[in-house]
Amino acid sequence: MEINYKFLIDTFYIVLAAVPTTLKLTIIPLLAAAPFAFTIALIRLQKGKSLWKVPVSAYVTFVRGTPIVLQILMIYSLLPSLLNALMKAWSFDINVFDWDPIFYAYIVFTLNIIALLSEVLRSAFGSVEKGQLEAAECAGLTKVQAYVHILLPQAMVVAMPNLCNLTVNLIKGTSLAFLMTVKDMTAVAKVSASYGYNYIEAYLDVFVGYIIICSIAQVLFHFAEAHMGRYRLSKQK
Amino acid sequence: MLKVKNIYKKYKQEEVLKGVDITVEKGDVVVVLGPSGSGKTTLLRCMNFLERADQGEMEFDTISIDMHKVSSKEIGKIRQKTAFVFQNYNLFQNKTALENVTTGLIVGRGIVKTKAVEIGMKALEKVGLADRASFYPSQLSGGQQQRVGIARAIAVEPDVILFDEPTSALDPELVGEVLAVIKQLAKEGKTMVIVTHEMKFAADVATNVVFMADGKIVEEGPPKEIFLRPKEERTKTFLRRILPQEEYNI
Protein backbone atom coordinates (compact mmCIF):
# COMPACT_ATOMS: atom_id res chain seq x y z
CA MET A 1 0.00 0.00 0.00
CA GLU A 2 1.32 3.40 -0.97
CA ILE A 3 0.48 6.62 0.82
CA ASN A 4 -0.12 9.51 -1.55
CA TYR A 5 1.67 12.24 0.40
CA LYS A 6 0.68 15.05 -1.92
CA PHE A 7 -2.95 14.06 -1.56
CA LEU A 8 -2.49 13.71 2.19
CA ILE A 9 -1.22 17.27 2.49
CA ASP A 10 -3.67 18.81 0.01
CA THR A 11 -6.62 17.17 1.67
CA PHE A 12 -5.42 18.31 5.09
CA TYR A 13 -5.90 21.89 3.92
CA ILE A 14 -9.36 21.04 2.65
CA VAL A 15 -10.18 19.52 6.02
CA LEU A 16 -8.83 22.59 7.82
CA ALA A 17 -11.08 24.78 5.67
CA ALA A 18 -14.05 22.81 7.02
CA VAL A 19 -13.05 23.34 10.66
CA PRO A 20 -15.32 26.41 11.02
CA THR A 21 -18.31 24.27 10.03
CA THR A 22 -17.47 21.74 12.73
CA LEU A 23 -17.02 24.53 15.28
CA LYS A 24 -20.34 26.11 14.29
CA LEU A 25 -22.03 22.73 14.62
CA THR A 26 -20.63 22.52 18.17
CA ILE A 27 -20.95 26.03 19.52
CA ILE A 28 -24.34 27.06 18.14
CA PRO A 29 -26.21 24.01 19.52
CA LEU A 30 -24.42 24.38 22.89
CA LEU A 31 -25.48 28.01 23.21
CA ALA A 32 -28.98 27.38 21.89
CA ALA A 33 -29.45 24.45 24.27
CA ALA A 34 -28.21 26.23 27.40
CA PRO A 35 -31.39 28.12 28.41
CA PHE A 36 -33.60 25.07 27.81
CA ALA A 37 -31.18 22.79 29.65
CA PHE A 38 -31.14 25.17 32.63
CA THR A 39 -34.91 25.21 32.75
CA ILE A 40 -35.15 21.43 32.59
CA ALA A 41 -32.47 21.00 35.25
CA LEU A 42 -34.26 23.40 37.61
CA ILE A 43 -37.63 21.72 37.00
CA ARG A 44 -36.14 18.31 37.75
CA LEU A 45 -34.43 19.60 40.90
CA GLN A 46 -37.66 21.00 42.35
CA LYS A 47 -38.92 19.28 45.45
CA GLY A 48 -42.35 17.76 45.36
CA LYS A 49 -44.54 17.16 42.37
CA SER A 50 -44.69 19.40 39.36
CA LEU A 51 -46.76 19.02 36.20
CA TRP A 52 -43.68 19.56 34.07
CA LYS A 53 -41.54 16.89 35.67
CA VAL A 54 -43.01 13.93 33.80
CA PRO A 55 -42.79 15.20 30.20
CA VAL A 56 -39.40 16.74 30.84
CA SER A 57 -37.98 13.54 32.34
CA ALA A 58 -39.50 11.53 29.50
CA TYR A 59 -37.76 13.75 27.00
CA VAL A 60 -34.37 13.36 28.70
CA THR A 61 -34.81 9.59 28.92
CA PHE A 62 -35.83 9.40 25.27
CA VAL A 63 -32.83 11.37 24.02
CA ARG A 64 -30.36 9.56 26.25
CA GLY A 65 -31.81 6.19 25.32
CA THR A 66 -31.51 6.48 21.54
CA PRO A 67 -28.39 6.64 19.36
CA ILE A 68 -27.71 10.04 17.87
CA VAL A 69 -27.51 8.48 14.39
CA LEU A 70 -31.12 7.49 14.76
CA GLN A 71 -32.10 10.95 15.98
CA ILE A 72 -30.40 12.46 12.94
CA LEU A 73 -32.06 10.08 10.49
CA MET A 74 -35.47 10.55 12.08
CA ILE A 75 -35.40 14.30 12.15
CA TYR A 76 -33.76 14.67 8.78
CA SER A 77 -36.36 12.52 7.07
CA LEU A 78 -39.34 13.86 9.05
CA LEU A 79 -38.75 17.54 9.61
CA PRO A 80 -38.29 18.80 6.03
CA SER A 81 -41.47 17.18 4.74
CA LEU A 82 -43.33 18.32 7.85
CA LEU A 83 -42.15 21.91 7.41
CA ASN A 84 -42.96 21.72 3.71
CA ALA A 85 -46.50 20.63 4.45
CA LEU A 86 -46.87 23.48 6.95
CA MET A 87 -45.55 26.04 4.48
CA LYS A 88 -48.02 24.80 1.88
CA ALA A 89 -50.88 24.80 4.35
CA TRP A 90 -50.17 28.42 5.26
CA SER A 91 -49.53 29.18 1.58
CA PHE A 92 -46.04 30.60 2.13
CA ASP A 93 -43.99 30.56 -1.02
CA ILE A 94 -40.93 29.02 0.59
CA ASN A 95 -39.22 25.90 -0.65
CA VAL A 96 -38.01 24.12 2.47
CA PHE A 97 -35.81 21.81 0.42
CA ASP A 98 -33.67 24.76 -0.67
CA TRP A 99 -32.54 25.46 2.88
CA ASP A 100 -28.99 24.75 3.86
CA PRO A 101 -29.00 21.31 5.52
CA ILE A 102 -26.82 22.73 8.32
CA PHE A 103 -30.06 24.25 9.65
CA TYR A 104 -31.39 20.74 10.34
CA ALA A 105 -28.06 19.74 11.85
CA TYR A 106 -28.35 22.64 14.32
CA ILE A 107 -31.83 21.44 15.30
CA VAL A 108 -30.81 17.82 15.83
CA PHE A 109 -27.73 18.62 17.85
CA THR A 110 -29.54 21.26 19.91
CA LEU A 111 -32.34 18.83 20.78
CA ASN A 112 -29.75 16.25 21.73
CA ILE A 113 -27.61 18.63 23.80
CA ILE A 114 -30.60 20.03 25.69
CA ALA A 115 -31.13 16.62 27.29
CA LEU A 116 -27.48 15.85 27.98
CA LEU A 117 -26.63 19.35 29.23
CA SER A 118 -29.66 19.38 31.53
CA GLU A 119 -28.28 16.27 33.23
CA VAL A 120 -24.84 17.84 33.63
CA LEU A 121 -26.39 20.96 35.16
CA ARG A 122 -28.74 18.99 37.35
CA SER A 123 -25.90 17.11 38.99
CA ALA A 124 -23.88 20.32 39.29
CA PHE A 125 -26.67 22.29 41.00
CA GLY A 126 -27.40 19.28 43.17
CA SER A 127 -23.83 19.38 44.45
CA VAL A 128 -24.09 22.96 45.73
CA GLU A 129 -24.92 22.93 49.43
CA LYS A 130 -28.49 23.82 50.38
CA GLY A 131 -27.15 26.29 52.93
CA GLN A 132 -25.78 28.52 50.17
CA LEU A 133 -29.28 29.34 48.95
CA GLU A 134 -30.53 29.82 52.52
CA ALA A 135 -27.66 32.15 53.33
CA ALA A 136 -28.26 34.15 50.15
CA GLU A 137 -31.95 34.52 50.92
CA CYS A 138 -31.19 35.54 54.49
CA ALA A 139 -28.77 38.16 53.15
CA GLY A 140 -31.73 39.74 51.37
CA LEU A 141 -31.18 38.33 47.88
CA THR A 142 -34.12 37.14 45.80
CA LYS A 143 -34.08 33.60 44.51
CA VAL A 144 -33.04 34.73 41.03
CA GLN A 145 -30.23 36.88 42.46
CA ALA A 146 -29.11 33.95 44.60
CA TYR A 147 -28.90 31.73 41.55
CA VAL A 148 -27.05 34.30 39.44
CA HIS A 149 -24.51 35.42 42.05
CA ILE A 150 -24.04 32.41 44.31
CA LEU A 151 -25.37 29.09 43.00
CA LEU A 152 -24.60 29.33 39.29
CA PRO A 153 -20.93 30.29 39.67
CA GLN A 154 -20.41 27.37 42.04
CA ALA A 155 -22.39 24.92 39.94
CA MET A 156 -20.49 25.84 36.78
CA VAL A 157 -17.17 24.96 38.38
CA VAL A 158 -18.49 21.55 39.37
CA ALA A 159 -19.98 21.13 35.90
CA MET A 160 -16.77 21.92 34.02
CA PRO A 161 -15.31 18.38 33.71
CA ASN A 162 -18.66 17.00 32.52
CA LEU A 163 -19.20 19.99 30.29
CA CYS A 164 -15.80 19.37 28.70
CA ASN A 165 -16.74 15.74 28.17
CA LEU A 166 -20.03 16.73 26.59
CA THR A 167 -18.38 19.29 24.30
CA VAL A 168 -15.71 16.88 23.14
CA ASN A 169 -18.35 14.24 22.47
CA LEU A 170 -20.36 16.78 20.52
CA ILE A 171 -17.33 17.79 18.44
CA LYS A 172 -16.83 14.16 17.52
CA GLY A 173 -20.57 13.67 17.06
CA THR A 174 -20.77 16.45 14.49
CA SER A 175 -18.96 14.08 12.10
CA LEU A 176 -22.37 12.44 11.69
CA ALA A 177 -23.65 15.61 10.06
CA PHE A 178 -22.49 14.20 6.72
CA LEU A 179 -25.65 12.08 6.92
CA MET A 180 -27.52 15.34 6.36
CA THR A 181 -25.16 16.34 3.52
CA VAL A 182 -23.56 19.02 5.69
CA LYS A 183 -20.01 19.70 4.49
CA ASP A 184 -18.14 19.32 7.77
CA MET A 185 -14.57 18.01 8.16
CA THR A 186 -15.53 14.37 7.70
CA ALA A 187 -17.75 15.03 4.71
CA VAL A 188 -15.24 17.09 2.71
CA ALA A 189 -12.52 14.54 3.33
CA LYS A 190 -14.74 11.72 2.14
CA VAL A 191 -15.72 13.60 -0.97
CA SER A 192 -12.09 14.37 -1.80
CA ALA A 193 -11.11 10.77 -1.25
CA SER A 194 -13.84 9.38 -3.45
CA TYR A 195 -12.30 10.75 -6.68
CA GLY A 196 -9.19 8.63 -6.45
CA TYR A 197 -10.02 6.13 -3.71
CA ASN A 198 -7.48 7.75 -1.33
CA TYR A 199 -9.60 6.98 1.70
CA ILE A 200 -6.73 6.12 4.05
CA GLU A 201 -5.08 9.49 3.52
CA ALA A 202 -8.37 11.35 3.88
CA TYR A 203 -9.25 9.55 7.11
CA LEU A 204 -5.79 10.23 8.50
CA ASP A 205 -6.33 13.94 7.84
CA VAL A 206 -9.71 13.97 9.56
CA PHE A 207 -8.26 11.97 12.41
CA VAL A 208 -5.56 14.57 13.04
CA GLY A 209 -8.08 17.38 12.62
CA TYR A 210 -10.35 16.04 15.38
CA ILE A 211 -7.47 15.33 17.71
CA ILE A 212 -6.25 18.91 17.40
CA ILE A 213 -9.69 20.46 17.97
CA CYS A 214 -10.59 18.18 20.85
CA SER A 215 -7.23 18.75 22.55
CA ILE A 216 -7.62 22.51 22.28
CA ALA A 217 -11.12 22.23 23.74
CA GLN A 218 -9.82 20.21 26.67
CA VAL A 219 -7.05 22.69 27.39
CA LEU A 220 -9.53 25.58 27.26
CA PHE A 221 -11.89 23.85 29.66
CA HIS A 222 -9.03 23.06 31.98
CA PHE A 223 -8.08 26.73 32.19
CA ALA A 224 -11.70 27.80 32.53
CA GLU A 225 -12.17 25.42 35.44
CA ALA A 226 -8.99 26.58 37.15
CA HIS A 227 -9.99 30.22 36.72
CA MET A 228 -13.62 29.89 37.79
CA GLY A 229 -12.73 27.58 40.66
CA ARG A 230 -9.92 29.70 42.07
CA TYR A 231 -11.88 30.12 45.29
CA ARG A 232 -11.25 26.43 45.97
CA LEU A 233 -7.49 26.93 45.92
CA SER A 234 -6.65 25.92 49.41
CA LYS A 235 -8.82 22.82 49.26
CA GLN A 236 -6.89 21.42 46.32
CA LYS A 237 -3.56 21.51 48.12
CA MET B 1 -40.56 44.90 68.51
CA LEU B 2 -40.67 41.28 67.32
CA LYS B 3 -43.41 39.08 68.61
CA VAL B 4 -44.14 35.52 67.57
CA LYS B 5 -47.26 33.80 68.77
CA ASN B 6 -48.46 30.25 68.87
CA ILE B 7 -46.12 28.60 66.38
CA TYR B 8 -46.87 25.01 65.40
CA LYS B 9 -44.62 22.98 63.16
CA LYS B 10 -44.82 19.33 62.18
CA TYR B 11 -42.42 17.22 60.11
CA LYS B 12 -44.51 14.35 58.79
CA GLN B 13 -45.86 12.83 62.04
CA GLU B 14 -43.30 14.47 64.31
CA GLU B 15 -44.57 17.54 66.13
CA VAL B 16 -41.54 19.77 66.60
CA LEU B 17 -43.14 22.99 67.83
CA LYS B 18 -46.34 22.86 69.85
CA GLY B 19 -47.44 26.43 70.35
CA VAL B 20 -44.42 28.58 71.12
CA ASP B 21 -44.61 32.31 71.91
CA ILE B 22 -41.59 34.53 71.99
CA THR B 23 -41.21 38.28 72.40
CA VAL B 24 -38.10 40.26 71.60
CA GLU B 25 -37.82 43.94 72.50
CA LYS B 26 -35.23 46.32 71.10
CA GLY B 27 -31.87 45.73 72.81
CA ASP B 28 -32.84 42.31 74.12
CA VAL B 29 -30.49 39.37 73.97
CA VAL B 30 -32.76 36.37 74.13
CA VAL B 31 -30.92 33.08 74.64
CA VAL B 32 -32.83 29.91 73.83
CA LEU B 33 -31.66 26.83 75.71
CA GLY B 34 -32.81 23.26 75.76
CA PRO B 35 -31.87 19.65 75.03
CA SER B 36 -31.36 18.61 71.41
CA GLY B 37 -34.58 17.89 69.61
CA SER B 38 -36.50 20.41 71.66
CA GLY B 39 -37.22 22.57 68.60
CA LYS B 40 -34.87 25.51 69.27
CA THR B 41 -33.36 25.58 65.80
CA THR B 42 -36.71 24.99 64.13
CA LEU B 43 -38.15 27.94 66.05
CA LEU B 44 -35.34 30.17 64.85
CA ARG B 45 -35.66 28.95 61.26
CA CYS B 46 -39.41 29.54 61.33
CA MET B 47 -38.81 33.10 62.51
CA ASN B 48 -36.82 33.76 59.34
CA PHE B 49 -39.08 31.59 57.14
CA LEU B 50 -36.34 29.13 56.27
CA GLU B 51 -38.99 26.70 57.46
CA ARG B 52 -42.67 27.36 56.96
CA ALA B 53 -44.62 27.08 60.21
CA ASP B 54 -47.93 25.21 60.06
CA GLN B 55 -49.53 27.88 62.17
CA GLY B 56 -48.52 31.04 63.96
CA GLU B 57 -48.56 34.83 63.89
CA MET B 58 -45.75 37.30 63.75
CA GLU B 59 -45.69 40.96 64.59
CA PHE B 60 -42.63 42.84 63.43
CA ASP B 61 -42.85 46.55 64.25
CA THR B 62 -46.03 47.49 62.45
CA ILE B 63 -46.23 44.47 60.17
CA SER B 64 -48.31 41.52 61.24
CA ILE B 65 -48.14 38.27 59.37
CA ASP B 66 -49.81 34.90 59.32
CA MET B 67 -46.72 32.67 59.44
CA HIS B 68 -48.34 29.87 57.48
CA LYS B 69 -49.91 31.85 54.66
CA VAL B 70 -47.11 34.39 54.37
CA SER B 71 -46.37 35.69 50.87
CA SER B 72 -42.89 35.73 49.42
CA LYS B 73 -43.09 39.52 49.32
CA GLU B 74 -43.69 39.61 53.08
CA ILE B 75 -40.86 37.13 53.61
CA GLY B 76 -38.59 39.45 51.65
CA LYS B 77 -39.60 42.37 53.86
CA ILE B 78 -38.84 40.46 57.06
CA ARG B 79 -35.52 39.24 55.70
CA GLN B 80 -34.47 42.81 54.90
CA LYS B 81 -34.86 43.59 58.62
CA THR B 82 -33.22 40.46 60.02
CA ALA B 83 -29.96 38.60 59.66
CA PHE B 84 -29.12 34.98 60.30
CA VAL B 85 -25.90 33.38 61.52
CA PHE B 86 -25.71 29.68 60.68
CA GLN B 87 -24.30 26.81 62.65
CA ASN B 88 -22.07 25.78 59.72
CA TYR B 89 -21.37 29.40 58.68
CA ASN B 90 -22.72 28.99 55.10
CA LEU B 91 -20.36 31.59 53.74
CA PHE B 92 -20.68 32.05 49.98
CA GLN B 93 -17.89 29.75 48.83
CA ASN B 94 -17.24 31.63 45.59
CA LYS B 95 -16.86 35.01 47.30
CA THR B 96 -14.06 36.52 49.34
CA ALA B 97 -14.61 37.48 52.97
CA LEU B 98 -15.31 41.07 51.96
CA GLU B 99 -17.63 40.04 49.11
CA ASN B 100 -19.49 37.80 51.52
CA VAL B 101 -20.27 40.86 53.57
CA THR B 102 -21.01 43.22 50.67
CA THR B 103 -23.13 40.95 48.44
CA GLY B 104 -26.20 41.42 50.61
CA LEU B 105 -25.67 45.17 50.49
CA ILE B 106 -24.91 45.55 46.78
CA VAL B 107 -27.17 42.88 45.28
CA GLY B 108 -29.84 42.55 47.94
CA ARG B 109 -30.22 46.20 48.89
CA GLY B 110 -28.88 48.13 45.90
CA ILE B 111 -26.21 50.06 47.79
CA VAL B 112 -23.41 51.42 45.57
CA LYS B 113 -20.23 49.38 45.60
CA THR B 114 -17.83 51.92 47.10
CA LYS B 115 -20.22 52.56 50.00
CA ALA B 116 -20.81 48.84 50.48
CA VAL B 117 -17.07 48.13 50.58
CA GLU B 118 -16.68 50.83 53.21
CA ILE B 119 -19.45 49.29 55.34
CA GLY B 120 -18.05 45.81 54.70
CA MET B 121 -14.54 46.73 55.81
CA LYS B 122 -15.93 48.30 58.96
CA ALA B 123 -17.85 45.12 59.73
CA LEU B 124 -14.76 42.98 59.13
CA GLU B 125 -12.73 45.27 61.36
CA LYS B 126 -15.27 44.83 64.10
CA VAL B 127 -14.84 41.05 64.03
CA GLY B 128 -11.06 41.47 63.76
CA LEU B 129 -10.67 40.19 60.22
CA ALA B 130 -9.93 43.30 58.15
CA ASP B 131 -6.61 41.73 57.13
CA ARG B 132 -8.42 38.69 55.74
CA ALA B 133 -10.78 40.67 53.49
CA SER B 134 -9.50 39.14 50.24
CA PHE B 135 -9.38 35.55 51.54
CA TYR B 136 -11.84 32.95 50.34
CA PRO B 137 -13.76 30.90 52.93
CA SER B 138 -11.68 27.83 52.04
CA GLN B 139 -8.61 29.71 53.28
CA LEU B 140 -10.11 30.63 56.65
CA SER B 141 -10.39 28.64 59.87
CA GLY B 142 -13.81 27.72 61.22
CA GLY B 143 -13.69 30.48 63.81
CA GLN B 144 -12.69 33.04 61.21
CA GLN B 145 -15.43 31.87 58.87
CA GLN B 146 -18.03 32.25 61.59
CA ARG B 147 -16.74 35.76 62.39
CA VAL B 148 -17.15 36.64 58.71
CA GLY B 149 -20.66 35.19 59.02
CA ILE B 150 -21.30 37.57 61.89
CA ALA B 151 -19.79 40.49 59.94
CA ARG B 152 -22.14 39.63 57.08
CA ALA B 153 -25.04 39.76 59.53
CA ILE B 154 -24.20 43.08 61.19
CA ALA B 155 -23.26 44.86 57.94
CA VAL B 156 -26.90 45.09 56.86
CA GLU B 157 -27.81 46.77 60.18
CA PRO B 158 -30.67 44.42 60.91
CA ASP B 159 -33.25 45.08 63.59
CA VAL B 160 -32.55 41.64 64.99
CA ILE B 161 -29.85 39.01 64.43
CA LEU B 162 -30.72 35.34 64.77
CA PHE B 163 -27.88 33.01 65.81
CA ASP B 164 -28.37 29.29 65.25
CA GLU B 165 -25.83 27.50 67.46
CA PRO B 166 -23.00 29.71 66.19
CA THR B 167 -20.24 27.76 67.94
CA SER B 168 -21.47 24.16 67.71
CA ALA B 169 -19.44 23.30 64.62
CA LEU B 170 -16.22 24.82 65.93
CA ASP B 171 -13.15 23.28 67.49
CA PRO B 172 -13.23 24.01 71.23
CA GLU B 173 -10.22 26.31 71.00
CA LEU B 174 -11.95 28.47 68.37
CA VAL B 175 -15.21 28.91 70.30
CA GLY B 176 -13.82 31.75 72.42
CA GLU B 177 -13.08 34.14 69.56
CA VAL B 178 -16.62 33.84 68.21
CA LEU B 179 -18.27 34.24 71.60
CA ALA B 180 -16.13 37.32 72.27
CA VAL B 181 -17.48 38.95 69.11
CA ILE B 182 -21.08 38.18 70.06
CA LYS B 183 -20.48 39.52 73.58
CA GLN B 184 -19.18 42.75 72.10
CA LEU B 185 -22.37 43.05 70.02
CA ALA B 186 -24.44 42.51 73.15
CA LYS B 187 -22.56 45.32 74.86
CA GLU B 188 -23.38 47.63 71.97
CA GLY B 189 -27.05 46.92 72.52
CA LYS B 190 -27.70 44.86 69.39
CA THR B 191 -30.95 42.92 69.46
CA MET B 192 -30.27 39.21 69.18
CA VAL B 193 -31.87 35.81 69.53
CA ILE B 194 -29.26 33.14 70.21
CA VAL B 195 -29.67 29.39 70.27
CA THR B 196 -26.66 27.94 72.06
CA HIS B 197 -25.30 25.21 74.30
CA GLU B 198 -22.69 27.46 75.89
CA MET B 199 -24.16 27.93 79.38
CA LYS B 200 -21.60 30.28 80.82
CA PHE B 201 -21.84 32.48 77.76
CA ALA B 202 -25.63 32.40 77.97
CA ALA B 203 -25.53 33.53 81.57
CA ASP B 204 -23.16 36.36 80.63
CA VAL B 205 -24.93 37.91 77.66
CA ALA B 206 -28.61 37.10 78.05
CA THR B 207 -31.15 39.65 79.13
CA ASN B 208 -33.74 36.92 78.88
CA VAL B 209 -33.38 33.13 78.88
CA VAL B 210 -35.93 30.83 77.29
CA PHE B 211 -35.79 27.17 78.20
CA MET B 212 -37.42 24.83 75.69
CA ALA B 213 -38.19 21.13 75.84
CA ASP B 214 -40.30 18.91 73.61
CA GLY B 215 -41.45 21.73 71.37
CA LYS B 216 -42.70 23.94 74.17
CA ILE B 217 -41.35 26.72 76.30
CA VAL B 218 -40.97 25.33 79.80
CA GLU B 219 -39.69 28.40 81.56
CA GLU B 220 -38.39 31.86 80.76
CA GLY B 221 -36.95 34.77 82.67
CA PRO B 222 -33.77 36.68 83.46
CA PRO B 223 -30.66 34.47 83.48
CA LYS B 224 -30.23 34.72 87.24
CA GLU B 225 -33.71 33.32 87.83
CA ILE B 226 -33.33 30.47 85.36
CA PHE B 227 -29.81 29.39 86.32
CA LEU B 228 -29.97 29.91 90.09
CA ARG B 229 -33.63 29.45 90.97
CA PRO B 230 -35.31 27.37 88.25
CA LYS B 231 -38.93 26.66 89.11
CA GLU B 232 -39.73 23.78 86.80
CA GLU B 233 -38.45 20.25 87.42
CA ARG B 234 -37.59 19.87 83.69
CA THR B 235 -35.30 22.90 83.83
CA LYS B 236 -33.62 21.65 87.00
CA THR B 237 -32.76 18.25 85.51
CA PHE B 238 -31.43 19.86 82.36
CA LEU B 239 -29.21 22.28 84.28
CA ARG B 240 -27.98 19.55 86.63
CA ARG B 241 -26.92 17.51 83.63
CA ILE B 242 -25.21 20.41 81.87
CA LEU B 243 -23.68 22.59 84.56
CA PRO B 244 -21.19 20.19 86.22
CA GLN B 245 -19.42 19.86 82.87
CA GLU B 246 -19.09 23.61 82.73
CA GLU B 247 -16.91 23.52 85.83
CA TYR B 248 -14.10 22.03 83.76
CA ASN B 249 -14.24 24.88 81.30
CA ILE B 250 -13.82 27.59 83.87
Side-chain angles (χ1 to χ4, degrees):
Chain A
M1 199 198 85
E2 287 252 324
I3 297 270
N4 182 342
Y5 287 101
K6 186 176 179 315
F7 180 85
L8 187 75
I9 291 161
D10 289 349
T11 311
F12 188 64
Y13 286 110
I14 296 174
V15 168
L16 278 188
V19 165
T21 310
T22 295
L23 290 182
K24 271 196 280 179
L25 280 173
T26 307
I27 294 168
I28 291 174
L30 266 177
L31 294 180
F36 298 100
F38 268 114
T39 315
I40 291 181
L42 295 184
I43 288 173
R44 296 193 75 190
L45 276 172
Q46 264 173 15
K47 269 190 243 151
K49 277 174 194 157
S50 151
L51 261 183
W52 284 98
K53 261 189 190 172
V54 176
V56 151
S57 307
Y59 175 72
V60 173
T61 311
F62 175 78
V63 172
R64 292 211 305 173
T66 50
I68 188 158
V69 180
L70 209 60
Q71 294 165 15
I72 290 172
L73 292 175
M74 282 251 305
I75 289 189
Y76 193 54
S77 41
L78 263 177
L79 200 57
S81 358
L82 206 71
L83 282 176
N84 192 43
L86 276 179
M87 291 300 167
K88 283 222 171 104
W90 293 334
S91 48
F92 283 123
D93 192 21
I94 297 170
N95 188 356
V96 185
F97 300 104
D98 285 346
W99 288 354
D100 190 338
I102 203 168
F103 169 73
Y104 296 105
Y106 290 148
I107 294 182
V108 179
F109 289 124
T110 304
L111 288 174
N112 184 267
I113 292 301
I114 286 175
L116 304 185
L117 186 58
S118 81
E119 285 296 275
V120 170
L121 295 175
R122 186 166 73 107
S123 71
F125 274 111
S127 77
V128 178
E129 255 184 88
K130 195 175 122 231
Q132 295 285 310
L133 176 61
E134 290 185 347
E137 290 190 309
C138 284
L141 274 63
T142 64
K143 219 168 201 165
V144 175
Q145 289 172 333
Y147 267 90
V148 172
H149 292 273
I150 309 296
L151 302 185
L152 186 62
Q154 294 184 38
M156 286 316 285
V157 176
V158 180
M160 273 299 154
N162 284 331
L163 209 56
C164 175
N165 222 341
L166 182 123
T167 307
V168 168
N169 277 335
L170 178 59
I171 292 172
K172 293 183 287 185
T174 58
S175 63
L176 291 168
F178 80 88
L179 288 169
M180 295 175 273
T181 69
V182 174
K183 295 182 188 65
D184 77 314
M185 283 161 58
T186 315
V188 294
K190 273 182 83 143
V191 171
S192 302
S194 64
Y195 298 123
Y197 287 94
N198 302 98
Y199 282 105
I200 298 290
E201 292 88 338
Y203 290 153
L204 273 175
D205 286 331
V206 187
F207 198 87
V208 173
Y210 279 111
I211 286 184
I212 293 173
I213 298 183
C214 290
S215 308
I216 293 174
Q218 286 176 60
V219 171
L220 290 180
F221 269 101
H222 180 78
F223 280 117
E225 186 187 350
H227 177 72
M228 292 163 72
R230 62 194 179 283
Y231 62 84
R232 300 188 296 189
L233 56 183
S234 70
K235 265 184 202 160
Q236 284 169 343
K237 270 177 205 162
Chain B
M1 180 186 71
L2 170 62
K3 211 179 237 179
V4 179
K5 272 185 282 184
N6 220 13
I7 303 192
Y8 282 83
K9 172 75 187 169
K10 219 187 214 179
Y11 292 116
K12 302 217 169 115
Q13 293 306 310
E14 182 94 11
E15 273 196 270
V16 187
L17 296 176
K18 306 169 194 167
V20 175
D21 301 349
I22 202 163
T23 306
V24 185
E25 294 300 339
K26 197 166 161 33
D28 272 1
V29 178
V30 177
V31 171
V32 184
L33 300 176
S36 19
S38 58
K40 312 179 294 287
T41 292
T42 308
L43 171 67
L44 212 61
R45 289 172 64 86
C46 282
M47 286 168 70
N48 212 18
F49 302 100
L50 289 172
E51 306 282 348
R52 188 66 65 92
D54 297 327
Q55 194 188 318
E57 290 133 55
M58 174 184 266
E59 279 171 37
F60 202 121
D61 289 334
T62 51
I63 313 169
S64 56
I65 289 174
D66 179 326
M67 293 180 76
H68 181 60
K69 289 187 209 128
V70 59
S71 69
S72 52
K73 210 176 146 196
E74 288 171 315
I75 293 180
K77 249 190 219 166
I78 298 292
R79 284 188 178 148
Q80 294 279 333
K81 291 164 171 274
T82 61
F84 203 96
V85 175
F86 294 87
Q87 183 175 355
N88 53 355
Y89 339 126
N90 281 343
L91 292 189
F92 306 135
Q93 294 296 319
N94 58 327
K95 304 264 181 203
T96 63
L98 179 62
E99 288 167 346
N100 260 282
V101 181
T102 55
T103 298
L105 296 166
I106 298 170
V107 183
R109 287 166 178 80
I111 293 173
V112 282
K113 199 178 168 197
T114 46
K115 181 89 179 116
V117 167
E118 199 182 298
I119 299 172
M121 283 310 294
K122 237 180 237 163
L124 284 179
E125 250 163 57
K126 193 169 248 176
V127 299
L129 287 173
D131 57 331
R132 294 284 190 276
S134 61
F135 283 49
Y136 286 102
S138 60
Q139 298 167 299
L140 299 172
S141 74
Q144 290 171 333
Q145 287 192 53
Q146 190 59 296
R147 278 147 66 197
V148 174
I150 294 171
R152 175 169 74 178
I154 56 177
V156 298
E157 296 196 343
D159 293 344
V160 53
I161 310 176
L162 309 172
F163 290 82
D164 180 18
E165 303 195 23
T167 58
S168 298
L170 293 173
D171 287 343
E173 55 186 309
L174 300 178
V175 169
E177 59 184 78
V178 172
L179 294 186
V181 169
I182 302 175
K183 261 184 208 167
Q184 181 57 35
L185 296 180
K187 252 190 219 153
E188 291 168 18
K190 291 258 188 320
T191 313
M192 303 187 274
V193 180
I194 307 171
V195 171
T196 185
H197 292 294
E198 302 286 333
M199 293 300 152
K200 192 173 174 303
F201 164 73
D204 278 357
V205 300
T207 55
N208 198 12
V209 174
V210 173
F211 176 70
M212 279 183 76
D214 303 320
K216 279 184 185 156
I217 291 180
V218 178
E219 197 170 351
E220 59 185 306
K224 267 188 190 158
E225 291 293 318
I226 301 286
F227 286 112
L228 301 178
R229 290 180 290 279
K231 291 189 191 71
E232 302 291 328
E233 196 48 45
R234 188 74 186 78
T235 319
K236 284 179 196 161
T237 42
F238 176 74
L239 290 175
R240 226 178 289 132
R241 222 176 292 153
I242 296 286
L243 286 179
Q245 296 170 7
E246 287 289 318
E247 300 294 323
Y248 300 108
N249 294 343
I250 295 166

